[in-house]
């Protein structure tokens, strides 16, 4: 005795033979794909706007004033090694 889940998992629906049903299912599939694409675009725009607003309305910090003659950074001095062409 097969359970309902077993029957649903092993079911392989075939394409309908009726040309009208084929056209209807094709159009429904295209509308579904179009809807998913539009939803993704709106979500992307929403995330961009939210990111922009969070940056604009976020915590305001003022950087420390820097002097014009000071270059800040970390440096490592690398010795120049001679290039040897012989092996």
């Amino acid at each position: 005795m097969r359970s309902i889940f077993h029957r649903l998992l092993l079911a392989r629906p075939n394409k309908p033979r009726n040309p009208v049903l084929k056209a209807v299912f094709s159009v429904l599939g295209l509308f579904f794909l179009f809807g998913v694409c539009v939803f993704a675009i709106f979500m992307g725009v929403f995330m961009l706007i939210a990111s922009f607003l969070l940056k604009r309305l976020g915590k305001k910090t003022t950087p420390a004033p820097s002097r014009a003659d000071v270059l800040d950074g970390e440096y490592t001095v690398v010795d120049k090694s001679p290039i040897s062409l012989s092996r």
Side-chain angles (χ1 to χ4, degrees), residues 75-81:
Y75 303 97
T76 304
V77 177
V78 178
D79 295 331
K80 188 174 182 179
S81 61

Side-chain angles (χ1 to χ4, degrees), residues 12-32:
R12 290 197 270 163
N14 296 326
K15 293 180 184 175
R17 293 184 182 184
N18 189 344
V20 176
L21 280 178
K22 281 185 182 181
V24 168
F25 284 132
S26 297
V27 170
L28 286 176
L30 289 175
F31 276 129
F32 177 74

